[in-house]
Amino acid sequence: MLMLTKAAAVDLAKYGIRCNCYCPGAIDTPMMQKYYEAAPDKEKIMSVLTGAHLIPRLGRPEEIAKLACFLASDDSSFITGAAYVIDGGTLAWRGVNA
């Protein structure tokens, strides 16, 4: 996805089209809630979902939406070919909180 974003940015820049992507962590969505509700051990599954986040919770949909809105706005008019990690710090360390 990262290389596709960069390639699209290169190819589409001549048309004035900016291409960026965002890389979310575990986000509290209806799909995630169904997964959680179906789990036999809810405490364990929540620990698995949030254990790698440095911020010890699920992300909120509005946090992702705010980033998407920023990237679609004129405020980001000089940004293209970029990837934004919005994962509660997961990729910063790839550890697990006990």
Side-chain angles (χ1 to χ4, degrees), residues 24-87:
I27 307 300
D28 190 9
T29 63
M31 184 172 72
M32 183 69 72
Q33 289 175 6
K34 284 182 185 178
Y35 179 69
Y36 172 76
E37 290 299 324
D41 185 346
K42 291 179 180 27
E43 187 174 314
K44 176 68 174 169
I45 200 66
M46 190 55 68
S47 174
V48 168
L49 291 171
T50 62
H53 293 181
L54 291 174
I55 299 170
R57 62 173 175 81
L58 293 174
R60 295 185 302 269
E62 58 270 19
E63 292 169 317
I64 306 304
K66 287 177 183 180
L67 174 60
C69 288
F70 167 73
L71 291 173
S73 76
D74 288 339
D75 289 339
S76 68
S77 63
F78 200 58
I79 299 173
T80 194
Y84 289 87
V85 178
I86 184 166
D87 68 353

